[in-house]
Amino acid sequence: MKARFKKILAPSLAVVMLAASIGALAQQAPKPENLIKWRQSAFQVAAWNTGRIKASVDGQYNKDEVQRAANAIAAIANSGLAGLFAPGTEQGKGWHDTSAKPEAFKDPKKFGELNAAFGNEATALASVAAGGDLAAIKAQFGKLQRTCKSCHDDFKAKE
Amino acid sequence: MKARFKKILAPSLAVVMLAASIGALAQQAPKPENLIKWRQSAFQVAAWNTGRIKASVDGQYNKDEVQRAANAIAAIANSGLAGLFAPGTEQGKGWHDTSAKPEAFKDPKKFGELNAAFGNEATALASVAAGGDLAAIKAQFGKLQRTCKSCHDDFKAKE
């Protein structure tokens, strides 16, 4: 009786474990529309913080404001954005239809290089923002913005 | 002749400077729909990174993945989110109709306290994530999630 119970139980356990594995996989693979929504969100947060820095360095400079904004951009730039451009997200809708060009998915090496440049210049901006030297901040902010533009030129469709 | 020229020029310069000030003010005061869009984006980026941490600590732990995600949440939590809940944004549409409750705008002291708790627990998570102690990360991740819930309970409408 005990042996028979085990026999019945064993496949059931296997099924449960398989279901759990599939569940874990599902958790690790978000839906394409979520990936697109998250990348659109990440770039919007970058845009918000870019605007805050521009307003502050062109107007009444506020060190704390610029530093918080620069930290946010740096953390997003270094968060692993490439993971949001996974296969299956070449087309589709997050908050709106993706504005990523097909080229963004065809040249992962170049995409990775531009993403790394974004991360490096954003990290450098967060570092000079902590120092509070306005001229140095403006110069580094210019370098950061050029990384945005170079990536948009190659990989983002005009809206 | 020179004096007369100065007389004419002086008011013109004043007008130009006034226009420039208004321009600067306009730049510093984004539209309510943009503020709502940015806060919806910021919380989406937090949700993306919360999901990454959960998948990693519940599944195959990846120190680098968790650290990048924790850094992103910390930088967003400390970015000055309260500024995105400015007067005039009590109602309105960003990506979608705001889900902020009216209470979020009526008790700025409590809002500030909950925002500070979010920032503090997120900073602590980024710190333990850098250490790589999985048990400590799980414990601190739980504390961070409780700050999300307590703020949502008070200030976010059910969707």
Side-chain angles (χ1 to χ4, degrees):
Chain A
M1 182 66 187
K2 205 177 166 190
R4 198 182 162 195
F5 178 71
K6 266 192 190 161
K7 255 192 186 165
I8 297 167
L9 189 66
S12 306
L13 254 181
V15 167
V16 168
M17 288 172 72
L18 180 67
S21 306
I22 291 169
L25 275 175
Q27 191 182 45
Q28 283 164 21
K31 291 178 186 170
E33 59 264 36
N34 282 334
L35 293 173
I36 297 173
K37 189 170 71 171
W38 290 331
R39 71 195 188 206
Q40 290 171 344
S41 296
F43 289 116
Q44 277 295 324
V45 175
W48 164 44
N49 286 290
T50 301
R52 292 167 78 188
I53 294 172
K54 186 169 166 40
S56 192
V57 301
D58 288 351
Q60 203 160 13
Y61 170 59
N62 180 313
K63 185 185 168 185
D64 182 61
E65 170 89 353
V66 171
Q67 198 174 341
R68 285 171 190 266
N71 287 347
I73 298 172
I76 286 173
N78 291 298
S79 65
L81 293 173
L84 298 176
F85 291 82
T89 66
E90 294 84 350
Q91 292 184 319
K93 194 172 176 170
W95 297 118
H96 55 79
D97 285 336
T98 185
S99 47
K101 286 185 189 171
E103 286 77 6
F105 303 89
K106 287 176 187 161
D107 194 346
K109 186 167 171 284
K110 186 165 190 194
F111 190 93
E113 284 167 5
L114 291 173
N115 191 358
F118 178 35
N120 292 340
E121 298 299 357
T123 301
L125 180 62
S127 176
V128 293
D133 175 342
L134 185 54
I137 291 167
K138 283 185 178 182
Q140 184 56 39
F141 184 51
K143 286 188 188 176
L144 174 62
Q145 287 185 301
R146 283 192 285 280
T147 70
C148 302
K149 188 181 181 310
S150 66
C151 198
H152 291 176
D153 285 350
D154 285 346
F155 294 139
K156 189 181 179 217
K158 299 270 180 285
E159 279 165 347
Chain B
M1 182 65 186
K2 204 178 170 189
R4 198 182 161 194
F5 178 72
K6 266 190 190 161
K7 256 193 188 165
I8 297 167
L9 189 66
S12 306
L13 253 182
V15 168
V16 169
M17 287 171 72
L18 180 65
S21 306
I22 291 169
L25 274 176
Q27 191 181 44
Q28 282 164 22
K31 291 179 187 170
E33 59 264 35
N34 282 334
L35 293 173
I36 298 173
K37 189 170 70 172
W38 290 330
R39 72 195 188 206
Q40 290 171 344
S41 296
F43 290 116
Q44 277 295 325
V45 175
W48 164 45
N49 286 289
T50 300
R52 292 167 79 189
I53 294 172
K54 185 169 166 41
S56 193
V57 301
D58 288 351
Q60 203 159 13
Y61 171 58
N62 181 313
K63 185 185 169 186
D64 182 61
E65 171 88 353
V66 171
Q67 197 174 341
R68 286 170 189 267
N71 287 346
I73 298 172
I76 286 174
N78 292 299
S79 66
L81 293 173
L84 298 176
F85 291 82
T89 66
E90 294 85 349
Q91 293 184 319
K93 194 172 175 170
W95 296 118
H96 54 78
D97 286 335
T98 185
S99 47
K101 285 186 190 172
E103 286 77 5
F105 303 89
K106 288 176 186 162
D107 195 346
K109 186 168 169 286
K110 186 165 190 194
F111 190 93
E113 285 167 5
L114 291 173
N115 191 358
F118 177 36
N120 292 339
E121 299 299 358
T123 301
L125 180 62
S127 176
V128 294
D133 175 342
L134 184 55
I137 291 168
K138 283 185 178 184
Q140 185 56 39
F141 184 52
K143 287 188 189 177
L144 174 63
Q145 288 184 300
R146 283 192 285 281
T147 70
C148 302
K149 185 180 183 313
S150 66
C151 199
H152 291 176
D153 285 348
D154 285 346
F155 295 140
K156 189 181 179 217
K158 300 269 180 287
E159 278 165 347

